Amino acid sequence: MSSTLQEAYTALMSRAPGAAFRRARSLYLNKYPLPQPDQNGPLRLFVCQERCEELEQPAPDGVAHHRLVTLTCRPGELALVHWQQPEAAEPSLIALYLRDTWGLEADALQLRTCDEPWFRDGGHQLRFSPPETLMEQQSSLLTLSE
């Protein structure tokens, strides 16, 4: 996986509504693609499924009622959208886009056609599983006494 993909995912998640606001977050992820150099190009990459896990543990400061909460989010699937086009992009365009923009090899991915167009008729979509290492992690210190 390229650092470009991780950086774009981190940037997208930094502006997304918090994971506790599931509906707002889902709408945000449907509306905004991963930031890429050519925002007006024919292909865009969206997070279409997400898995978030929360882990709570004692804080490293040793105070009994302090807790460290870590939220880890991973995309479950990514949608490659042929922006506002009803048909799939040419395989050569897809391969070039994935390689040059995201450092991914189309042949190594299992691209699956989705029968429905992307959110609000945004275009034809192909879905695939992202690299396992693609994730965003945030930690917060809770200092409220119980």
Side-chain angles (χ1 to χ4, degrees):
M1 178 183 74
S2 75
S3 62
T4 306
L5 182 59
Q6 181 63 57
E7 290 167 6
Y9 182 67
T10 299
L12 182 69
M13 292 297 104
S14 73
R15 294 185 304 271
F21 304 99
R22 291 182 184 171
R23 180 150 171 75
R25 188 172 176 98
S26 176
L27 288 171
Y28 177 88
L29 294 176
N30 284 334
K31 185 174 179 181
Y32 296 104
L34 291 169
Q36 61 189 39
D38 183 5
Q39 292 291 345
N40 296 317
L43 297 173
R44 299 180 187 178
L45 196 59
F46 291 85
V47 174
C48 58
Q49 290 181 4
E50 183 179 40
R51 298 182 320 253
C52 293
E53 299 168 353
E54 186 176 296
L55 174 66
E56 185 178 323
Q57 57 193 19
D61 62 9
V63 178
H65 65 274
H66 287 187
R67 308 297 290 166
L68 184 64
V69 178
T70 303
L71 179 68
T72 303
C73 292
R74 291 180 167 86
E77 273 193 317
L78 297 177
L80 174 59
V81 178
H82 191 197
W83 193 244
Q84 298 186 338
Q85 300 299 315
E87 70 284 332
E90 293 294 321
S92 59
L93 179 63
I94 291 170
L96 185 68
Y97 170 79
L98 289 170
R99 186 185 66 238
D100 291 354
T101 305
W102 305 115
L104 299 171
E105 292 299 326
D107 293 340
L109 303 172
Q110 293 181 342
L111 298 172
R112 297 177 305 284
T113 298
C114 191
D115 294 333
E116 298 177 16
W118 183 247
F119 180 70
R120 296 185 179 161
D121 291 325
H124 183 274
Q125 63 172 311
L126 297 170
R127 292 190 177 191
F128 65 95
S129 297
E132 282 295 318
T133 56
L134 185 59
M135 69 173 178
E136 175 64 14
Q137 202 169 57
Q138 299 173 349
S139 295
S140 298
L141 179 64
L142 299 179
T143 59
L144 299 174
S145 60
E146 296 182 41

